[in-house]
Amino acid sequence: KAGVTQTPRYLIKTRGQQVTLSCSPISGHRSVSWYQQTPGQGLQFLFEYFSETQRNKGNFPGRFSGRQFSNSRSEMNVSTLELGDSALYLCASSLAGMPGEQYFGPGTRLTVT
Amino acid sequence: GNSVTQMEGPVTLSEEAFLTINCTYTATGYPSLFWYVQYPGEGLQLLLKATKADDKGSNKGFEATYRKETTSFHLEKGSVQVSDSAVYFCALIANAGGTSYGKLTFGQGTILTVHP
């Protein structure tokens, strides 16, 4: 069974731009969670989607948004990029009823200059 | 809110040494507890889990016991190998529905380096 895939793997953007990251979950997984990983703040939860509905959201500004499609694929968008948004963005999928057993993708490394 | 605290790192050991990485948590109710591992250049992987008090999770020689009385979930391995070098994260998920959906709360991670 294919794992969680994320595209692109690396991205360089300029302050003020916007970016869209994509995540394809494991087949059959309907829950997709997104995390931001930085050396200073560690792993922080962004949001979770299940059956195209956002069920939970972390403490991030409204510039961070996401969506989920009917095939469970998910995208996250960051608008008006700031230098502090440079991070590894991780997507994870899980089966319904097993929310803590998350399968992580390799991440998208975003660098904002 | 919920939080996870891991022992300060990094940890450097010789091969075949005993490993302990301490983890304590703060949470309302009865969370499920996890250890995730991140090998160099790879994504996070679930190492083991425990869903209720006194449960012992185990995998690949690693063990951790859910201790509600001390709110701890310490990771142990009797004999580490060079291949165990990685970053280890303790995590919890609340079992209260609502704001817990899909939200793992992680500790800051502990870097383990094992020398031959």
Side-chain angles (χ1 to χ4, degrees):
Chain A
K1 194 181 258 191
V4 177
T5 58
Q6 292 186 247
T7 55
R9 292 292 310 277
Y10 301 92
L11 209 47
I12 300 176
K13 290 287 188 178
T14 303
R15 267 183 307 174
Q17 290 185 316
Q18 75 166 21
V19 66
T20 299
L21 312 182
S22 181
C23 170
S24 292
I26 291 172
S27 178
H29 288 194
R30 295 163 62 189
S31 173
V32 174
S33 296
W34 287 88
Y35 297 86
Q36 181 195 65
Q37 186 176 23
T38 60
Q41 298 298 314
L43 281 151
Q44 293 189 290
F45 173 78
L46 281 156
F47 28 64
E48 188 259 5
Y49 286 86
F50 183 86
S51 292
E52 302 179 67
T53 299
Q54 184 185 89
R55 296 194 300 182
N56 201 0
K57 189 177 191 306
N59 294 324
F60 279 82
R63 300 184 297 106
F64 292 81
S65 63
R67 60 178 175 169
Q68 187 181 34
F69 302 95
S70 58
N71 61 358
S72 294
R73 190 176 70 84
S74 178
E75 290 181 346
M76 69 163 280
N77 184 275
V78 187
S79 63
T80 320
L81 284 165
E82 301 178 358
L83 294 178
D85 297 333
S86 295
L88 181 66
Y89 290 88
L90 296 169
C91 160
S93 71
S94 62
L95 285 167
M98 303 177 77
E101 294 187 35
Q102 298 185 7
Y103 293 79
F104 283 80
T108 295
R109 172 73 63 185
L110 172 65
T111 302
V112 182
T113 63
Chain B
N2 300 330
S3 66
V4 175
T5 302
Q6 289 181 232
M7 64 184 291
E8 295 293 325
V11 175
T12 302
L13 296 172
S14 297
E15 207 164 27
E16 298 184 3
F18 184 84
L19 168 71
T20 299
I21 300 177
N22 290 339
C23 170
T24 57
Y25 68 90
T26 301
T28 53
Y30 302 90
S32 293
L33 303 175
F34 306 86
W35 278 98
Y36 278 82
V37 59
Q38 190 171 34
Y39 296 103
E42 298 184 21
L44 280 157
Q45 303 174 23
L46 177 63
L47 180 60
L48 52 84
K49 68 173 184 177
T51 57
K52 61 183 187 296
D54 300 323
D55 265 3
K56 176 185 283 188
S58 61
N59 186 26
K60 299 182 181 180
F62 291 90
E63 293 183 341
T65 301
Y66 189 146
R67 301 288 189 198
K68 187 157 181 64
E69 63 275 13
T70 55
T71 61
S72 65
F73 193 54
H74 305 321
L75 182 68
E76 297 182 336
K77 186 175 186 182
S79 176
V80 294
Q81 305 300 311
V82 172
S83 58
D84 294 326
S85 297
V87 184
Y88 291 81
F89 293 90
C90 185
L92 70 80
I93 194 164
N95 288 318
T99 57
S100 69
Y101 285 132
K103 180 181 179 180
L104 281 165
T105 298
F106 287 92
Q108 63 267 44
T110 300
I111 300 172
L112 170 65
T113 303
V114 181
H115 292 297

